[in-house]
Amino acid sequence: MGTFLTLARRAFLRGRTLQQALRPPGALSESEFIERCTRCDDCLKACPSGVIVRGHGGFPELSFKSGECTFCAECIKACRPAALASQDAPASLPYRARIADSCIAFQGIECRVCGERCPSAAIRFRPRVGGAAFPELIADRCTGCGACEAPCPAGAISVCPSMEQSTCE
């Protein structure tokens, strides 16, 4: 049985669904990535931002709790088994930011830190009469870099696989 199926089966037997992990830039399809990745940690060591971490099953995943992906492609260059394979450094990831209802701007408190940290200006604030401006994500501008996630004081921003925005935690 392949490693991907083993991980999916293990998650199912524990009563969980196997959510798509946020893989580093240039990752192959999930099943190909799992089959090729040797869990050598070379991509983790090569990442200057430190956003690649050991995830479920020891496979590399992105975590934006302390920084952002700068699309430098050092992880792709370091990947010897070519589980991260791309011709050029990617300009974006297949992920998008999600702003939860716990955002303090939705509670009437002025905060714009996510918009200030977003290098692609994908988060803007619409003025409201008599209240704090609400954040608005412009999905087609979001690169999935995660720059907005760590500085959020309420932890209301998370980066999700773009097809699963409603299930992102």
Side-chain angles (χ1 to χ4, degrees):
M1 182 181 299
T3 307
F4 178 72
L5 294 176
T6 302
L7 290 173
R9 183 173 183 230
R10 186 178 309 145
F12 174 76
L13 292 173
R14 290 183 178 162
R16 298 180 304 188
T17 58
L18 187 62
Q19 290 183 329
Q20 181 181 347
L22 301 181
R23 297 293 180 209
L28 300 175
S29 71
E30 187 67 7
S31 58
E32 288 179 291
F33 177 82
I34 296 293
E35 291 302 320
R36 279 198 186 189
C37 180
T38 61
R39 299 175 261 190
C40 65
D41 290 346
D42 286 349
C43 59
L44 279 73
K45 296 170 191 166
C47 180
S49 300
V51 295
I52 303 176
V53 299
R54 257 183 181 266
H56 183 70
F59 292 98
E61 295 180 8
L62 293 172
S63 172
F64 301 116
K65 303 227 181 294
S66 63
E68 67 187 89
C69 179
T70 61
F71 306 108
C72 66
E74 292 301 317
C75 54
I76 296 170
K77 293 174 195 168
C79 185
R80 289 174 283 144
L84 305 176
S86 177
Q87 302 293 35
D88 299 310
S92 68
L93 294 167
Y95 314 127
R96 297 296 169 260
R98 178 181 168 274
I99 304 169
D101 292 339
S102 57
C103 172
I104 61 175
F106 296 144
Q107 316 308 315
I109 301 168
E110 187 69 35
C111 179
R112 296 178 185 232
V113 71
C114 58
E116 292 167 359
R117 296 294 293 270
C118 181
S120 61
I123 301 174
R124 66 178 171 194
F125 289 81
R126 293 264 183 206
R128 288 185 332 122
V129 175
F134 286 173
E136 178 181 283
L137 178 72
I138 306 164
D140 61 341
R141 291 187 84 170
C142 181
T143 63
C145 72
C148 56
E149 189 174 311
C152 178
I157 298 184
S158 51
V159 176
C160 316
S162 59
M163 300 305 288
E164 299 177 21
Q165 292 234 356
S166 61
T167 61
C168 182
E169 296 177 5

